[in-house]
Amino acid sequence: MSSPSERYAAARQAAEHPETVAFAARQRFDLDPFQVEGCHALERGHSVLVAAPTGAGKTIVGEFAIHLAMQSPSDKAFYTTPMKALSNQKFRELVDVYGPEDVGLLTGDTNINGNARIVVMTTEVLRNMIYADSAALRDLRYVVMDEVHYLADRFRGAVWEEVIIHLPQQVRLVSLSATVSNAEEFGDWLDTVRGDTEVIVSEVRPVPLEQHVLVRDDLLPLFDDRAGAATAQVNQELMRIRSFTGSHYENNRRAQSYASNRHAGRQAKRPPRGGQRPVRPSNMRRIERMDRPDVVQLLERANLLPAIFFIFSRVGCDAAVQQVRRSGLRLTTQEEREEIRTLVEERTRTLQDEDLGVLGYWEWLDNLERGVASHHAGLLPAFKEVVEELFRRKLVKVVFATETLALGINMPARTVVLEKMEKFNGEARVAITSGEYTQLTGRAGRRGIDVEGHAVVQWTEGMDPQAVAALASRRTYPLNSSFRPTYNMAVNLIDLFGKARARQILESSFAQFQADRSVVGLARQVREAETSLTGYRESMTCEHGDFREYSALRRELSDLEKKNRQDSQAPRGARDKRMKRIQELRTRMQRHPCHRCPDREAHARWAERYWKLKRQTDRTRRQIETRTGTVARVFDRVVEVLETLDYLRTDGEEIILTESGRTMRRIYGERDLLVAESLRQGLWTGLDAPSLAAMASCLVYEPRRDEANAGERGLPRGGFRTAYEKTTALWAELDDLEQDHQLPGSEPLAAGLAGAMHSWARGGVLDRVLVEADMAAGDFVRWAKQTIDLLDQLSIVAEDGALARTARAALDGLRRGIVSYSSM
């Protein structure tokens, strides 16, 4: 029974925030304070930034924005995600709530009900819609940007900032971020460019996280619970282990009695239903790691499954599954195995039998029926989706995954295991950061299922428990902008706003905000002043003539007369010169047609406001120019390159787009300039469909660092080689031009996938194509889809009708088999 004060508080909240109360009543859980705070802010009409740990339930605030949109007869809401897999997942969730008629999905290769009132999409799709001034933006009320911390991504991060800057001001923005250490700074920027944004930060995990270190077959707590959470003192037993090596450690353990363990109190706390045992004595000179099947069994006995093992290597993930398979371990019941087989067969029924054999389907299915799977970028997307679904249904108990699984997919576990605290970054082995540790272990603990989550770090030789504890207790994950102007961005901004306004917009980027926070505020003042100046110009419009010109004469005359009165001691020559100018101005002013206007003084009052504000605005612009201005300077260099190549042209005082510039508007990607220039020079004219597909793959493919150049041997024959040589020569010319303008340039073309893409486009069988590509099926599908994205652009923008038809034929050749699979 609630108290009178509690009933009063509930009634008051229902009166002030009725939509929040109605929405909360439909949820499976009571809303947490930060979720309620976010919903209240939206109900008050504000934008919000919500930064909270993985699994805390940030998306509830985004879903409330959708709820608000659906309360009106016409408002729309867009939900953006950084990945197609996330978009697909969110689409299914929203269809369950609102029905298929009101929910759409746009991910580039999927278009379902795009005119619906709720549309889930990748962030790039929304950016393209804004630049195209799509009719779908009408009645848009809310945009949810899930995983907004992706704007730090080196390759795609700029898209998030473009969307945030260019969305119409009336659109309320719901930004959902992982816990970042500079959330307030990011929120300040959002408030500056969007206005009226509330920042809501939560450090609280809904499911507490227990931290363990696995030493042989012993799960030891990382922290000494007696010291209290605020102190976060490292378990002294771990420190003793580090101070002894080999047999010294074993002898030390034998000398310890269980009495001393009892004296340690909660330090030796066991995980639920598990049993912590002393490390067994042996004559070994070092602490041996448990085999993976033994670790899985230990977790099973301790009731710590389902678990995700993070292994920073695809080969390691697949090898781990094989180890468990060879051990004969089976984690599922007969009923669960039947359910697994039914779901797998349903999800893969569109794949051809011969392809399934190539993909190792039967062994993969057997592993799934054992309750074990791997998850990494090399896995076929169809297979990854099955693994994710089975894990969510608690049918697969153990997943060995690379860190890509930590990036947003809703796949929580009871336990997360980190086998190592370092990973290969492409150049060297480096320690994982505190942000990465937080992101990985954030998967542990399922809300509504687990009382607590568990993070297990396996002991390795040379491990420093203090360093692990520092990673576990710190939350230093700064959000840094990766924004930089591109050629496509430049032509779109200039076409929409003109060069001067485009520079002002770029001054509003988060990159510039971080470089010099004050510039963003100044740039906003200039934008607001420009609006006022336009109004003043309209108010002083005179039918007799140009009143701005007339008022400029009056202003100069007034300034000179004032100076003449104040500067009576000036040399005679200077005073004579000034008086001559004063007389000229009086004569010009009296002869000006506006001088005879009956409303002259009314116009003059508006003119005085205009010139006063213009003087202030010019002073503000000079302040901006003396600040860092890094983003705008890069923009200027990009514009210079585009002018040199005749994509932009000066027309009087304005810069306008040429026909080539208008083509550039619709070309997105790292190679926008090279693609546009290749089209203009006709380098790909005459190619057949497989050769054009191969050429497109050379523009999107990024080889591994250890991958040797394909050379002439692997290239398709015929017209492709000539086109490839000409395109490579063009790349070198453009790279030199960019270097001349102090721009970073781009990487050379990579033909490593050209042969395989050519074979696939002309109908080659999967096993031969994968051998030719020398890559996993999932990797091939990913590069094929990026090739499809570029070909899709070519089919639209190519002025040569034959080339556009060839691009469409190439698309048809690539969209088949495993590449065309979609779970939608």
Side-chain angles (χ1 to χ4, degrees):
M1 185 75 177
S2 60
S3 67
S5 61
E6 289 172 334
R7 290 197 297 273
Y8 173 75
R12 183 175 178 180
Q13 185 183 67
E16 292 179 354
H17 302 99
E19 292 301 337
T20 300
V21 172
F23 176 76
R26 290 167 35 190
Q27 306 309 308
R28 291 182 297 130
F29 310 112
D30 290 339
L31 297 190
D32 290 336
F34 84 92
Q35 295 169 326
V36 173
E37 189 180 350
C39 293
H40 284 179
L42 285 171
E43 196 166 357
R44 290 193 296 269
H46 302 170
S47 293
V48 293
L49 165 64
V50 180
T54 301
K58 297 182 290 291
T59 55
I60 282 288
V61 182
E63 290 163 11
F64 179 67
I66 294 170
H67 166 83
L68 287 178
M70 297 303 285
Q71 302 314 298
S72 85
S74 59
D75 282 355
K76 298 167 77 172
F78 289 171
Y79 195 109
T80 74
T81 77
M83 294 181 289
K84 293 175 183 178
L86 273 176
S87 294
N88 293 343
Q89 183 175 303
K90 200 68 202 176
F91 171 74
R92 286 191 288 263
E93 291 173 6
L94 291 172
V95 165
D96 289 342
V97 176
Y98 294 101
E101 64 282 351
D102 278 327
V103 185
L105 177 67
L106 298 173
T107 60
D109 56 359
T110 304
N111 185 336
I112 300 173
N113 200 15
N115 293 317
R117 291 181 59 198
I118 305 167
V119 185
V120 183
M121 62 187 69
T122 52
T123 316
E124 282 86 353
V125 169
L126 179 54
R127 186 271 311 272
N128 298 351
M129 289 170 68
I130 291 171
Y131 280 158
D133 194 22
S134 169
L137 296 172
R138 295 192 194 113
D139 298 320
L140 180 61
R141 179 64 178 159
Y142 297 97
V143 167
V144 182
M145 300 194 79
D146 202 356
E147 309 285 341
V148 75
H149 51 273
Y150 256 81
L151 67 76
D153 184 81
R154 184 163 63 94
F155 298 106
R156 300 170 56 212
V159 175
W160 274 256
E161 291 192 47
E162 288 179 81
V163 169
I164 291 168
I165 292 169
H166 296 312
L167 271 176
Q169 284 297 315
Q170 71 271 17
V171 176
R172 298 291 85 187
L173 192 64
V174 183
S175 305
L176 308 177
S177 171
T179 305
V180 292
S181 52
N182 61 336
E184 287 77 11
E185 179 189 40
F186 183 52
D188 287 347
W189 173 70
L190 287 172
D191 190 63
T192 303
V193 295
R194 302 293 311 168
D196 207 8
T197 299
E198 293 196 23
V199 180
I200 298 160
V201 178
S202 173
E203 295 273 359
V204 179
R205 283 177 49 97
V207 181
L209 184 64
E210 292 287 325
Q211 312 266 358
H212 311 277
V213 177
L214 178 59
V215 185
R216 298 260 315 255
D217 60 351
D218 202 359
L219 274 173
L220 300 176
L222 174 59
F223 295 107
D224 185 346
D225 291 348
R226 294 175 304 165
T231 310
Q233 182 179 331
V234 177
N235 185 346
Q236 292 305 299
E237 186 170 358
L238 291 172
M239 299 306 295
R240 284 194 295 274
I241 292 171
R242 184 170 188 259
S243 65
F244 292 103
T245 57
S247 59
H248 292 106
Y249 167 65
E250 297 298 348
N251 293 333
N252 184 66
R253 285 288 287 171
R254 281 200 298 269
Q256 293 182 39
S257 67
Y258 273 96
S260 65
N261 269 339
R262 284 195 297 275
H263 177 71
R266 294 182 66 201
Q267 171 182 315
K269 179 182 175 184
R270 273 67 162 173
R273 292 169 59 182
Q276 178 184 311
R277 297 177 302 281
V279 179
R280 295 192 191 99
S282 74
N283 294 322
M284 293 186 178
R285 296 191 59 79
R286 66 187 181 88
I287 301 171
E288 297 237 344
R289 290 164 64 91
M290 292 180 75
D291 288 338
R292 285 170 179 139
D294 294 332
V295 177
V296 171
Q297 287 183 300
L298 182 150
L299 296 178
E300 184 183 28
R301 289 194 302 270
N303 194 29
L304 294 180
L305 296 182
I308 298 171
F309 285 66
F310 281 111
I311 302 173
F312 303 116
S313 151
R314 299 178 185 184
V315 173
C317 291
D318 293 335
V321 173
Q322 290 305 316
Q323 279 183 278
V324 175
R325 176 188 176 87
R326 286 194 298 270
S327 74
L329 187 61
R330 194 178 291 277
L331 304 171
T332 55
T333 65
Q334 180 62 38
E335 292 77 13
E336 288 174 328
R337 290 194 285 276
E338 290 173 1
E339 192 175 346
I340 289 168
R341 180 176 286 270
T342 299
L343 186 141
V344 171
E345 289 177 348
E346 177 191 334
R347 290 294 183 87
T348 60
R349 66 180 184 277
T350 59
L351 298 175
Q352 299 176 2
D353 288 345
E354 57 267 30
D355 289 349
L356 292 176
V358 173
L359 297 168
Y361 170 82
W362 303 109
E363 185 176 303
W364 173 70
L365 176 58
D366 183 61
N367 291 330
L368 291 176
E369 290 182 355
R370 292 174 182 273
V372 183
S374 62
H375 189 289
H376 54 71
L379 204 63
L380 190 69
F383 286 13
K384 278 201 292 187
E385 289 178 18
V386 168
V387 171
E388 291 159 12
E389 179 66 22
L390 291 174
F391 194 79
R392 282 195 291 270
R393 292 193 186 186
K394 296 178 281 195
L395 296 171
V396 164
K397 319 293 184 180
V398 174
V399 169
F400 297 96
T402 57
E403 68 268 33
T404 55
L405 183 132
L407 300 177
I409 295 291
N410 180 23
M411 200 169 153
R414 175 164 294 172
T415 303
V416 163
V417 179
L418 301 182
E419 292 195 347
K420 293 180 180 178
M421 301 300 288
E422 60 179 24
K423 65 176 185 176
F424 187 68
N425 68 357
E427 296 177 347
R429 299 207 70 82
V430 297
I432 64 173
T433 66
S434 59
E436 289 168 332
Y437 183 91
T438 302
Q439 192 83 356
L440 296 168
T441 57
R443 292 278 153 216
R446 299 164 300 173
R447 187 167 186 170
I449 301 174
D450 299 322
V451 176
E452 57 192 12
H454 297 268
V456 177
V457 176
Q458 264 195 289
W459 183 273
T460 55
E461 292 302 313
M463 175 184 283
D464 180 3
Q466 294 276 18
V468 177
L471 288 179
S473 57
R474 255 198 332 258
R475 294 293 179 267
T476 52
Y477 180 53
L479 183 60
N480 294 315
S481 172
S482 62
F483 184 84
R484 61 180 178 82
T486 65
Y487 298 105
N488 168 272
M489 186 192 304
V491 295
N492 273 292
L493 287 177
I494 287 173
D495 192 45
L496 290 169
F497 306 110
K499 184 183 177 183
R501 180 75 192 282
R503 286 183 100 258
Q504 293 171 16
I505 288 170
L506 293 176
E507 293 284 3
S508 299
S509 68
F510 188 45
Q512 185 61 57
F513 187 81
Q514 290 190 305
D516 183 353
R517 291 186 61 165
S518 64
V519 167
V520 176
L522 294 173
R524 187 176 185 183
Q525 289 176 29
V526 169
R527 289 201 307 276
E528 291 171 352
E530 289 286 1
T531 303
S532 298
L533 288 170
T534 300
Y536 293 164
R537 278 196 297 269
E538 291 173 358
S539 297
M540 67 179 179
T541 301
C542 177
E543 60 184 16
H544 292 271
D546 185 347
F547 202 89
R548 186 165 60 158
E549 180 184 73
Y550 175 74
S551 63
L553 294 173
R554 278 181 61 143
R555 190 171 187 83
E556 187 182 353
L557 176 61
S558 175
D559 289 345
L560 282 175
E561 287 176 336
K562 182 178 179 181
K563 191 171 184 180
N564 203 41
R565 289 192 299 270
Q566 293 173 344
D567 195 14
S568 58
Q569 303 302 317
R572 185 177 179 86
R575 293 197 68 190
D576 288 346
K577 185 177 180 181
R578 191 185 299 145
M579 285 303 298
K580 183 179 179 181
R581 177 60 178 162
I582 288 173
Q583 192 57 47
E584 287 177 5
L585 289 170
R586 284 174 178 164
T587 302
R588 286 180 61 190
M589 192 177 74
Q590 290 167 0
R591 291 176 178 174
H592 197 284
C594 291
H595 191 66
R596 295 185 296 276
C597 176
D599 298 321
R600 182 184 68 196
E601 293 310 309
H603 295 328
R605 284 192 291 273
W606 286 109
E608 186 60 30
R609 294 175 188 173
Y610 172 85
W611 289 111
K612 183 177 180 180
L613 182 58
K614 187 175 187 306
R615 180 176 289 177
Q616 293 173 352
T617 305
D618 290 344
R619 189 161 51 243
T620 305
R621 283 201 182 96
R622 286 193 294 273
Q623 280 183 270
I624 291 174
E625 288 169 4
T626 58
R627 305 292 172 91
T628 53
T630 51
V631 176
R633 281 201 293 273
V634 173
F635 172 73
D636 289 341
R637 293 168 193 156
V638 167
V639 169
E640 288 169 7
V641 170
L642 290 169
E643 287 181 307
T644 301
L645 296 172
D646 199 37
Y647 286 88
L648 297 173
R649 192 177 295 161
T650 302
D651 182 15
E653 295 183 1
E654 295 295 322
I655 293 181
I656 61 170
L657 273 60
T658 63
E659 281 304 310
S660 298
R662 298 204 168 278
T663 299
M664 171 76 78
R665 277 199 64 180
R666 295 174 291 171
I667 298 173
Y668 302 97
E670 291 287 307
R671 306 275 193 184
D672 48 7
L673 181 60
L674 180 58
V675 171
E677 195 65 6
S678 297
L679 287 175
R680 185 163 71 170
Q681 295 186 21
L683 302 188
W684 305 333
T685 300
L687 290 178
D688 59 15
S691 296
L692 186 59
M695 189 70 249
S697 77
C698 296
L699 294 162
V700 300
Y701 179 55
E702 297 170 13
R704 299 186 303 269
R705 292 179 184 272
D706 58 346
E707 186 176 324
N709 198 305
E712 294 293 315
R713 189 167 49 85
L715 298 182
R717 299 187 179 279
F720 170 84
R721 296 201 176 196
T722 302
Y724 177 72
E725 289 167 1
K726 289 181 178 179
T727 307
T728 300
L730 174 60
W731 166 82
E733 292 174 17
L734 296 177
D735 192 61
D736 288 343
L737 181 62
E738 288 176 317
Q739 300 288 347
D740 290 343
H741 286 83
Q742 296 177 284
L743 291 170
S746 58
E747 292 295 318
L749 275 67
L753 198 56
M757 202 63 68
H758 187 274
S759 298
W760 183 254
R762 68 180 187 192
V765 295
L766 180 62
D767 58 345
R768 289 186 186 175
V769 170
L770 293 181
V771 169
E772 196 170 359
D774 189 24
M775 62 177 56
D779 291 322
F780 178 75
V781 169
R782 187 172 76 257
W783 292 119
K785 290 200 170 185
Q786 291 194 34
T787 303
I788 285 170
D789 285 344
L790 178 54
L791 288 169
D792 196 38
Q793 292 179 46
L794 296 182
S795 71
I796 296 169
V797 304
E799 295 179 3
D800 179 350
L803 183 61
R805 286 192 294 275
T806 303
R808 287 191 286 273
L811 286 169
D812 292 338
L814 293 182
R815 284 178 176 146
R816 63 184 184 85
I818 62 172
V819 175
S820 65
Y821 170 86
S822 173
S823 62
M824 287 295 104

Short mmCIF file of all heavy atoms in Angstrom, two decimals, residues 522 525-526 611-627:
data_model
loop_
_atom_site.label_atom_id
_atom_site.label_comp_id
_atom_site.label_asym_id
_atom_site.label_seq_id
_atom_site.Cartn_x
_atom_site.Cartn_y
_atom_site.Cartn_z
N LEU A 522 30.07 31.79 -31.94
CA LEU A 522 30.21 32.95 -32.81
C LEU A 522 29.55 32.69 -34.17
O LEU A 522 28.88 33.57 -34.72
CB LEU A 522 31.69 33.29 -33.00
CG LEU A 522 32.44 33.78 -31.75
CD1 LEU A 522 33.93 33.90 -32.05
CD2 LEU A 522 31.88 35.10 -31.26
N GLN A 525 25.93 33.10 -33.90
CA GLN A 525 25.58 34.53 -33.87
C GLN A 525 25.55 35.11 -35.28
O GLN A 525 24.65 35.89 -35.62
CB GLN A 525 26.60 35.30 -33.03
CG GLN A 525 26.53 35.03 -31.54
CD GLN A 525 27.63 35.77 -30.79
OE1 GLN A 525 28.08 36.83 -31.22
NE2 GLN A 525 28.08 35.20 -29.68
N VAL A 526 26.53 34.72 -36.10
CA VAL A 526 26.58 35.23 -37.47
C VAL A 526 25.36 34.75 -38.25
O VAL A 526 24.73 35.52 -38.99
CB VAL A 526 27.89 34.79 -38.17
CG1 VAL A 526 27.83 35.09 -39.67
CG2 VAL A 526 29.08 35.50 -37.54
N TRP A 611 23.12 48.75 -40.60
CA TRP A 611 24.56 49.01 -40.61
C TRP A 611 25.20 48.75 -39.24
O TRP A 611 26.33 48.27 -39.16
CB TRP A 611 24.83 50.46 -41.04
CG TRP A 611 24.55 50.66 -42.50
CD1 TRP A 611 23.55 51.40 -43.04
CD2 TRP A 611 25.28 50.10 -43.60
NE1 TRP A 611 23.59 51.33 -44.42
CE2 TRP A 611 24.65 50.54 -44.78
CE3 TRP A 611 26.39 49.26 -43.69
CZ2 TRP A 611 25.09 50.17 -46.04
CZ3 TRP A 611 26.84 48.89 -44.95
CH2 TRP A 611 26.20 49.35 -46.11
N LYS A 612 24.44 49.00 -38.17
CA LYS A 612 24.98 48.72 -36.85
C LYS A 612 25.19 47.22 -36.66
O LYS A 612 26.25 46.77 -36.19
CB LYS A 612 24.02 49.26 -35.78
CG LYS A 612 24.54 49.09 -34.36
CD LYS A 612 23.58 49.72 -33.35
CE LYS A 612 24.10 49.53 -31.93
NZ LYS A 612 23.16 50.13 -30.93
N LEU A 613 24.17 46.42 -37.05
CA LEU A 613 24.30 44.97 -36.92
C LEU A 613 25.35 44.43 -37.88
O LEU A 613 26.10 43.51 -37.52
CB LEU A 613 22.95 44.29 -37.20
CG LEU A 613 22.92 42.76 -37.06
CD1 LEU A 613 23.35 42.33 -35.67
CD2 LEU A 613 21.52 42.22 -37.38
N LYS A 614 25.44 44.98 -39.09
CA LYS A 614 26.43 44.52 -40.05
C LYS A 614 27.85 44.76 -39.52
O LYS A 614 28.75 43.92 -39.66
CB LYS A 614 26.27 45.20 -41.40
CG LYS A 614 27.18 44.62 -42.48
CD LYS A 614 26.91 45.24 -43.83
CE LYS A 614 27.71 44.52 -44.91
NZ LYS A 614 29.16 44.46 -44.63
N ARG A 615 28.05 45.91 -38.88
CA ARG A 615 29.37 46.20 -38.33
C ARG A 615 29.72 45.19 -37.24
O ARG A 615 30.83 44.66 -37.18
CB ARG A 615 29.38 47.62 -37.77
CG ARG A 615 30.71 48.05 -37.17
CD ARG A 615 30.68 49.50 -36.73
NE ARG A 615 30.65 50.40 -37.88
CZ ARG A 615 30.56 51.72 -37.78
NH1 ARG A 615 30.45 52.30 -36.58
NH2 ARG A 615 30.57 52.49 -38.86
N GLN A 616 28.74 44.86 -36.36
CA GLN A 616 28.97 43.87 -35.32
C GLN A 616 29.26 42.49 -35.93
O GLN A 616 30.15 41.76 -35.48
CB GLN A 616 27.76 43.78 -34.40
CG GLN A 616 27.51 45.02 -33.56
CD GLN A 616 26.19 44.92 -32.80
OE1 GLN A 616 25.40 44.01 -33.02
NE2 GLN A 616 25.96 45.89 -31.92
N THR A 617 28.49 42.15 -36.97
CA THR A 617 28.65 40.84 -37.61
C THR A 617 30.01 40.73 -38.29
O THR A 617 30.67 39.68 -38.21
CB THR A 617 27.52 40.62 -38.63
OG1 THR A 617 26.26 40.78 -37.97
CG2 THR A 617 27.60 39.22 -39.24
N ASP A 618 30.44 41.78 -38.97
CA ASP A 618 31.76 41.77 -39.61
C ASP A 618 32.86 41.60 -38.56
O ASP A 618 33.84 40.90 -38.80
CB ASP A 618 31.98 43.06 -40.40
CG ASP A 618 31.11 43.13 -41.65
OD1 ASP A 618 30.58 42.07 -42.06
OD2 ASP A 618 30.94 44.23 -42.20
N ARG A 619 32.66 42.25 -37.41
CA ARG A 619 33.64 42.12 -36.34
C ARG A 619 33.66 40.66 -35.84
O ARG A 619 34.74 40.11 -35.58
CB ARG A 619 33.30 43.08 -35.21
CG ARG A 619 34.38 43.17 -34.13
CD ARG A 619 34.26 44.43 -33.29
NE ARG A 619 32.92 44.62 -32.75
CZ ARG A 619 32.12 45.64 -33.06
NH1 ARG A 619 32.53 46.59 -33.89
NH2 ARG A 619 30.92 45.75 -32.53
N THR A 620 32.48 40.04 -35.72
CA THR A 620 32.40 38.64 -35.29
C THR A 620 33.07 37.72 -36.31
O THR A 620 33.78 36.78 -35.94
CB THR A 620 30.93 38.22 -35.09
OG1 THR A 620 30.32 39.13 -34.17
CG2 THR A 620 30.84 36.81 -34.54
N ARG A 621 32.84 38.02 -37.60
CA ARG A 621 33.48 37.20 -38.65
C ARG A 621 35.01 37.28 -38.54
O ARG A 621 35.71 36.29 -38.74
CB ARG A 621 33.03 37.68 -40.03
CG ARG A 621 31.64 37.23 -40.42
CD ARG A 621 31.48 37.29 -41.93
NE ARG A 621 30.13 36.91 -42.32
CZ ARG A 621 29.14 37.77 -42.55
NH1 ARG A 621 29.36 39.07 -42.41
NH2 ARG A 621 27.95 37.35 -42.91
N ARG A 622 35.52 38.49 -38.27
CA ARG A 622 36.97 38.63 -38.14
C ARG A 622 37.48 37.83 -36.93
O ARG A 622 38.57 37.25 -36.99
CB ARG A 622 37.35 40.10 -38.01
CG ARG A 622 37.24 40.88 -39.32
CD ARG A 622 37.92 42.24 -39.23
NE ARG A 622 37.24 43.12 -38.28
CZ ARG A 622 36.22 43.91 -38.61
NH1 ARG A 622 35.74 43.92 -39.84
NH2 ARG A 622 35.65 44.70 -37.69
N GLN A 623 36.66 37.79 -35.87
CA GLN A 623 37.03 36.98 -34.71
C GLN A 623 37.13 35.51 -35.10
O GLN A 623 38.07 34.81 -34.71
CB GLN A 623 35.98 37.12 -33.60
CG GLN A 623 36.09 38.37 -32.76
CD GLN A 623 35.04 38.36 -31.66
OE1 GLN A 623 33.94 38.84 -31.84
NE2 GLN A 623 35.39 37.80 -30.52
N ILE A 624 36.15 35.04 -35.88
CA ILE A 624 36.15 33.64 -36.32
C ILE A 624 37.39 33.36 -37.15
O ILE A 624 38.05 32.33 -36.99
CB ILE A 624 34.86 33.32 -37.11
CG1 ILE A 624 33.64 33.35 -36.17
CG2 ILE A 624 34.97 31.98 -37.82
CD1 ILE A 624 32.32 33.20 -36.86
N GLU A 625 37.71 34.29 -38.05
CA GLU A 625 38.85 34.08 -38.94
C GLU A 625 40.17 34.02 -38.19
O GLU A 625 41.12 33.37 -38.62
CB GLU A 625 38.89 35.18 -40.00
CG GLU A 625 37.77 35.05 -41.04
CD GLU A 625 37.64 36.28 -41.92
OE1 GLU A 625 38.47 37.19 -41.77
OE2 GLU A 625 36.71 36.32 -42.75
N THR A 626 40.23 34.72 -37.05
CA THR A 626 41.48 34.71 -36.28
C THR A 626 41.57 33.48 -35.38
O THR A 626 42.64 33.21 -34.82
CB THR A 626 41.60 35.97 -35.40
OG1 THR A 626 40.47 36.03 -34.52
CG2 THR A 626 41.66 37.22 -36.26
N ARG A 627 40.45 32.75 -35.23
CA ARG A 627 40.49 31.53 -34.43
C ARG A 627 41.01 30.39 -35.32
O ARG A 627 41.49 30.58 -36.42
CB ARG A 627 39.10 31.20 -33.89
CG ARG A 627 38.48 32.33 -33.08
CD ARG A 627 39.21 32.60 -31.77
NE ARG A 627 38.73 33.80 -31.11
CZ ARG A 627 37.74 33.83 -30.22
NH1 ARG A 627 37.10 32.73 -29.92
NH2 ARG A 627 37.39 34.97 -29.67
#
